[in-house]
Amino acid sequence: MTTSDNPLLDFDSLPAFSRIEAAHMQPAVAWVIDDNLQRLDTLLNDTRLVSQPDWDSLMRPLEEFDDRLEKVWSVISHLNGTCNTPEIREAHSQCQALVTDYRSRVGQNESLFRAVRTVRERADELELDTAQRKVLDDMLLEFEHAGVSLPPEKKKEFAALQSRLSSLSSDFGNNVLDATRAWTEHVTDRSLLAGIPELNIQAAAETAADKGLDGYLLTLDFPCYFAVMSNAEDEGLRERMHRAFVTRASDQDASGGQWDNTPIMRQILECREQMAALLGYGHYAEMSVARKMARSVDEVNQFLDDLIRYTRPAAERDFEALQAFARERDGRDTLAPWDIAFYSEQLRRSRYDISQDALRVWFPVERVLQGLFEVTGKLFGVRITTGSADTWHPDVRFCEIHRQGELVARFYLDLYTREGKRGGAWMADCHGRRRRADGSDQIPVAFLTCNFAPPGRTRPALLSHDEVTTLFHEFGHGLHHMLTVQPHLRCSGINGVAWDAVELPSQLLENWCWEPEALPLISAHYETGEPLPADMLDRMLAARNFQAGMFGVRQLEFALFDFSLHQQSVQSDPAWIGKVLQQARERTSVAPVARFNRFENSFGHIFAGGYAAGYYSYKWAEVLSADVYSRFTESGIFDQATGQAFFDKILSKGGGNDALTLFTDFMGREPDVKSLLKQEGLLQEP
């Protein structure tokens, strides 16, 4: 196969998804890596360049190397997550090993490290701007975190750990996907589905029909799982679904441990601990925080302690109210773990006369998207239109973003759950913005992925309000990537943004899902087109902070578990990870947890994603976003001057400056946790 035959090696066009096959993947990655290494070798053999490197002679070629590899690897990673087949999975695994090895070789290249360091030392002489200096500082820390300063034998050891960690993380995610896919419950007696919304029952019937079955097929895909747990009157059904969900990829799941992640988790933690030790850090949490907005491990620990102190009492009050409601409604003296979501939804309906399901008819996908684009346009002066491009599935949309009459970005939108698609919602980059050597700008392109229930045979896709906020959240990430004006790939979009600040634009955009001024733009009855009734809007807004305490401690449980886990040495006790989680629950949780619960075995954020020793970032960024949003509420949620200021000082800056500097430039001060506490109803004004 020649390079001209491989669609992944067309670097100047959008991906030709209909032509890409698993067989193209490994050869494409291997070719790019080999060519990059040859070019890098030529670069570093230029004695004049190495002795007096500058931005154009060194950094521009390095950016070109990065860009070509990322264009290939991002598409392969995306297809592995959205169209997972045995062939793609195997090809992805092969490519991942190549990419990890390549990054280790580049990161441990002492000649390259010295050349980059020399450019940084010449920054004043070369008149480099703030973004260029930030790129160089970030790169130098990356070199150190790749083991560039280690002696030769330790370098080999570190590279082997990186390779092992990459493989283990991939195995972890695959096991979760396989365990999720493997479990179903075939229901033929409709009475067992009492209480479940009709739309979800119809979807279960269509899923069964697609498999050639009568009746209804329930799965662990989140739209189905959540509908059952929140609404099913049958406690036995809720218990079976709950058990299946919280034991995925563990020794407790229905497969008998076929996809048990327990040994993989331990090995992942051992790799991280050893890597941190080789680099001279006390533990992996210290290594992680070195690249975050937080100044130290102690600062993060104190941050979590403070939020637990504020949130736990509210969570206790929430749970006491839930218990009282269940006792009054059904005579329940105790609540089982599979009762929590059900009685919470019943209490919400009783207290506010509203439910997530009742809201669905007012949030058809097309209306929500139209409103999302209009909200974005009002805030940041953009116009979003439908475009045309090759896609990986018929349901995928392609759109273009214009600002001030110019095309500035494009994105793919993949909204619906399906077999072979990993759960959750995420944004990933396809192309990053950069200034090419010829002076032209590369247009950023984003992948935006969700897992909503697809349209039925006779109805459009209808979203719960929670799903609407998820869509806004991911689009916020997308805007951060797409509306950047940075000309350097390593700091454009979310590149170079501290991980505990990267959620700021996404969490900020969620706020418009709750504003009476914005809701008419994103809602209308899917059959009549009528606006959301005023009384329903009032009830929905009144319920905004329903069980905010319980939700808050759930997130703090995850964050505390993650951060505590990565401050400890790996222990020989097989149950050690579960014990660390239990300790976090003792400080945070107010709801019962089943003995068979193995949540940690499917916690992909920290074992298969980028949030290791960083899950606290969600709460950290909530403080930032609540604080920033206070400026919008003061000036008007569609105030163009405020929107422009946020665009100029944060959104478009990407990773071109320190996150705290960008925040204080916009707000005029450092973050204040009180904004979040007020927003969630946990702190009342005096």
Side-chain angles (χ1 to χ4, degrees):
M1 182 183 297
T2 65
T3 57
S4 61
D5 295 328
N6 194 320
L8 284 166
L9 296 177
D10 182 358
F11 302 119
D12 297 324
S13 305
L14 292 169
F17 286 104
S18 62
R19 293 179 52 215
I20 297 171
E21 300 174 2
H24 293 125
M25 296 178 177
Q26 191 274 345
V29 170
W31 184 90
V32 173
I33 286 175
D34 184 61
D35 192 60
N36 278 1
L37 289 174
Q38 290 183 38
R39 294 189 185 201
L40 179 61
D41 188 56
T42 300
L43 199 67
L44 295 178
N45 282 327
D46 183 336
T47 55
R48 183 192 59 79
L49 181 150
V50 173
S51 62
Q52 288 291 305
D54 59 26
W55 189 269
D56 288 338
S57 65
L58 180 68
M59 301 305 294
R60 284 193 184 280
L62 293 181
E63 182 174 89
E64 178 73 20
F65 302 163
D66 290 343
D67 187 51
R68 295 194 311 163
L69 181 57
E70 286 305 312
K71 283 178 177 174
V72 176
W73 180 230
S74 66
V75 171
I76 295 171
S77 298
H78 183 70
L79 290 176
N80 187 59
T82 57
C83 305
N84 194 278
T85 65
E87 295 78 16
I88 289 178
R89 179 180 294 188
E90 175 61 24
H92 177 268
S93 179
Q94 294 171 353
C95 294
Q96 188 170 47
L98 293 174
V99 171
T100 302
D101 177 67
Y102 168 77
R103 287 174 175 164
S104 291
R105 292 174 66 180
V106 173
Q108 293 185 352
N109 189 310
E110 293 181 37
S111 296
L112 180 59
F113 170 63
R114 287 193 296 269
V116 172
R117 186 174 60 192
T118 300
V119 177
R120 182 62 181 93
E121 291 168 350
R122 300 181 64 205
D124 291 341
E125 173 193 346
L126 297 172
E127 298 182 343
L128 300 184
D129 61 27
T130 300
Q132 290 171 310
R133 295 171 193 237
K134 171 75 160 37
V135 165
L136 292 164
D137 288 339
D138 289 347
M139 285 187 71
L140 292 173
L141 183 57
E142 286 176 18
F143 277 114
E144 294 293 346
H145 279 195
V148 72
S149 299
L150 296 174
E153 287 305 310
K154 294 297 183 182
K155 280 184 178 178
K156 291 181 181 178
E157 182 182 349
F158 193 89
L161 287 168
Q162 284 185 310
S163 178
R164 179 89 176 122
L165 179 59
S166 177
S167 177
L168 289 166
S169 297
S170 181
D171 290 344
F172 182 97
N174 288 336
N175 282 344
V176 175
L177 179 62
D178 288 343
T180 302
R181 184 188 298 173
W183 189 92
T184 60
E185 173 143 342
H186 184 208
V187 176
T188 55
D189 181 359
R190 184 185 168 103
S191 66
L192 292 176
L193 306 180
I196 299 175
E198 186 61 33
L199 291 175
N200 296 104
I201 293 176
Q202 290 175 12
E206 291 170 6
T207 301
D210 289 342
K211 299 289 186 182
L213 300 172
D214 295 330
Y216 314 88
L217 194 65
L218 304 178
T219 72
L220 295 181
D221 288 335
F222 195 76
C224 179
Y225 172 75
F226 187 73
V228 172
M229 297 310 300
S230 301
N231 299 284
E233 294 283 352
D234 190 297
E235 183 179 355
L237 176 61
R238 298 200 308 270
E239 181 180 359
R240 292 192 298 278
M241 288 282 283
H242 178 78
R243 178 184 289 270
F245 194 80
V246 302
T247 60
R248 288 175 300 159
S250 78
D251 61 337
Q252 300 289 313
D253 71 19
S255 75
Q258 179 179 353
W259 299 292
D260 187 6
N261 270 332
T262 303
I264 292 176
M265 293 153 57
R266 178 184 175 81
Q267 293 171 63
I268 286 173
L269 293 170
E270 286 175 339
C271 286
R272 291 174 180 161
E273 180 181 11
Q274 292 169 35
M275 290 166 65
L278 282 170
L279 296 180
Y281 290 102
H283 41 62
Y284 187 79
E286 187 179 349
M287 177 178 168
S288 174
V289 169
R291 298 182 62 183
K292 303 252 185 339
M293 183 177 173
R295 299 177 180 93
S296 67
V297 169
D298 288 343
E299 184 178 13
V300 177
N301 286 329
Q302 186 62 54
F303 171 75
L304 293 175
D305 288 347
D306 289 344
L307 282 183
I308 291 169
R309 188 174 70 254
Y310 278 112
T311 310
R312 171 92 191 218
E316 290 171 345
R317 292 191 295 271
D318 287 343
F319 190 65
E320 288 170 2
L322 187 66
Q323 288 179 306
F325 174 77
R327 190 180 305 115
E328 180 180 347
R329 181 184 189 269
D330 292 328
R332 297 291 298 266
D333 291 326
T334 58
L335 292 176
W338 46 89
D339 294 329
I340 305 303
F342 174 75
Y343 280 106
S344 292
E345 182 61 18
Q346 305 310 308
L347 177 57
R348 185 205 306 267
R349 295 177 186 179
S350 172
R351 189 177 287 180
Y352 302 104
D353 190 23
I354 200 163
S355 69
Q356 285 290 321
D357 178 61
L359 288 168
R360 282 186 185 274
V361 297
W362 303 98
F363 293 102
V365 159
E366 298 304 326
R367 178 67 175 191
V368 174
L369 286 174
Q370 176 186 332
L372 169 60
F373 296 164
E374 190 170 349
V375 167
T376 305
K378 287 176 176 288
L379 289 173
F380 308 121
V382 299
R383 183 172 61 89
I384 302 173
T385 59
T386 300
S388 177
D390 195 359
T391 64
W392 56 94
H393 190 275
D395 287 343
V396 176
R397 305 163 188 248
F398 182 75
C399 298
E400 297 181 335
I401 302 181
H402 292 78
R403 193 169 194 269
Q404 297 177 344
E406 294 186 11
L407 176 68
V408 296
R410 296 166 170 162
F411 62 94
Y412 298 88
L413 192 59
D414 187 354
L415 293 175
Y416 307 122
T417 185
R418 59 177 176 272
E419 191 169 338
K421 184 179 179 183
R422 136 171 110 82
W426 67 92
M427 188 284 296
D429 64 301
C430 175
H431 293 174
R433 188 180 193 276
R434 71 185 184 95
R435 184 74 41 78
R436 300 186 184 96
D438 63 7
S440 64
D441 288 330
Q442 179 168 283
I443 300 296
V445 182
F447 295 126
L448 295 165
T449 308
C450 297
N451 271 280
F452 305 142
R457 292 188 173 92
T458 59
R459 57 160 178 80
L462 304 174
L463 305 184
S464 68
H465 189 258
D466 283 348
E467 290 170 334
V468 173
T469 60
T470 295
L471 179 59
F472 269 64
H473 180 101
E474 298 308 328
F475 202 69
H477 279 308
L479 292 175
H480 203 182
H481 171 71
M482 294 185 288
L483 297 188
T484 183
V485 298
Q486 291 292 351
H488 313 299
L489 187 64
R490 281 180 166 267
C491 67
S492 73
I494 65 171
N495 293 329
V497 178
W499 205 248
D500 44 8
V502 79
E503 298 289 335
L504 166 55
S506 55
Q507 292 176 340
L508 176 70
L509 201 60
E510 291 182 31
N511 287 286
W512 277 265
C513 300
W514 293 97
E515 287 291 348
E517 191 178 346
L519 275 162
L521 302 177
I522 61 175
S523 63
H525 196 281
Y526 82 99
E527 290 179 318
T528 66
E530 294 177 2
L532 185 70
D535 63 327
M536 183 172 284
L537 172 61
D538 291 342
R539 297 196 304 273
M540 189 183 84
L541 295 176
R544 177 175 185 176
N545 288 325
F546 175 66
Q547 292 187 341
M550 286 178 62
F551 179 79
V553 293
R554 181 72 166 150
Q555 289 296 99
L556 288 168
E557 173 190 320
F558 298 161
L560 183 62
F561 163 59
D562 164 49
F563 209 63
S564 299
L565 192 67
H566 287 98
Q567 292 177 69
Q568 302 183 26
S569 295
V570 177
Q571 299 180 15
S572 58
D573 181 0
W576 166 65
I577 296 174
K579 290 179 179 178
V580 176
L581 177 55
Q582 181 56 35
Q583 291 167 359
R585 284 176 175 150
E586 289 171 0
R587 291 191 57 199
T588 57
S589 181
V590 297
V593 178
R595 293 179 63 86
F596 55 73
N597 188 298
R598 297 293 186 274
F599 158 78
E600 61 271 30
N601 286 58
S602 60
F603 195 8
H605 279 77
I606 70 168
F607 289 113
Y611 284 86
Y615 195 87
Y616 78 88
S617 300
Y618 282 103
K619 298 304 294 183
W620 186 278
E622 280 183 21
V623 172
L624 304 180
S625 65
D627 219 356
V628 167
Y629 193 61
S630 67
R631 268 200 61 179
F632 282 93
T633 57
E634 290 169 3
S635 59
I637 65 163
F638 288 123
D639 180 65
Q640 292 183 356
T642 308
Q644 184 66 43
F646 182 74
F647 176 89
D648 290 338
K649 297 185 176 184
I650 294 181
L651 193 63
S652 67
K653 293 292 188 183
N657 207 335
D658 173 75
L660 182 59
T661 299
L662 295 180
F663 179 91
T664 53
D665 187 31
F666 178 76
M667 290 297 297
R669 57 170 173 75
E670 292 202 0
D672 184 354
V673 71
K674 290 182 180 179
S675 294
L676 175 63
L677 298 174
K678 292 175 185 176
Q679 181 172 288
E680 294 185 345
L682 302 178
L683 182 70
Q684 302 298 322
E685 293 280 11

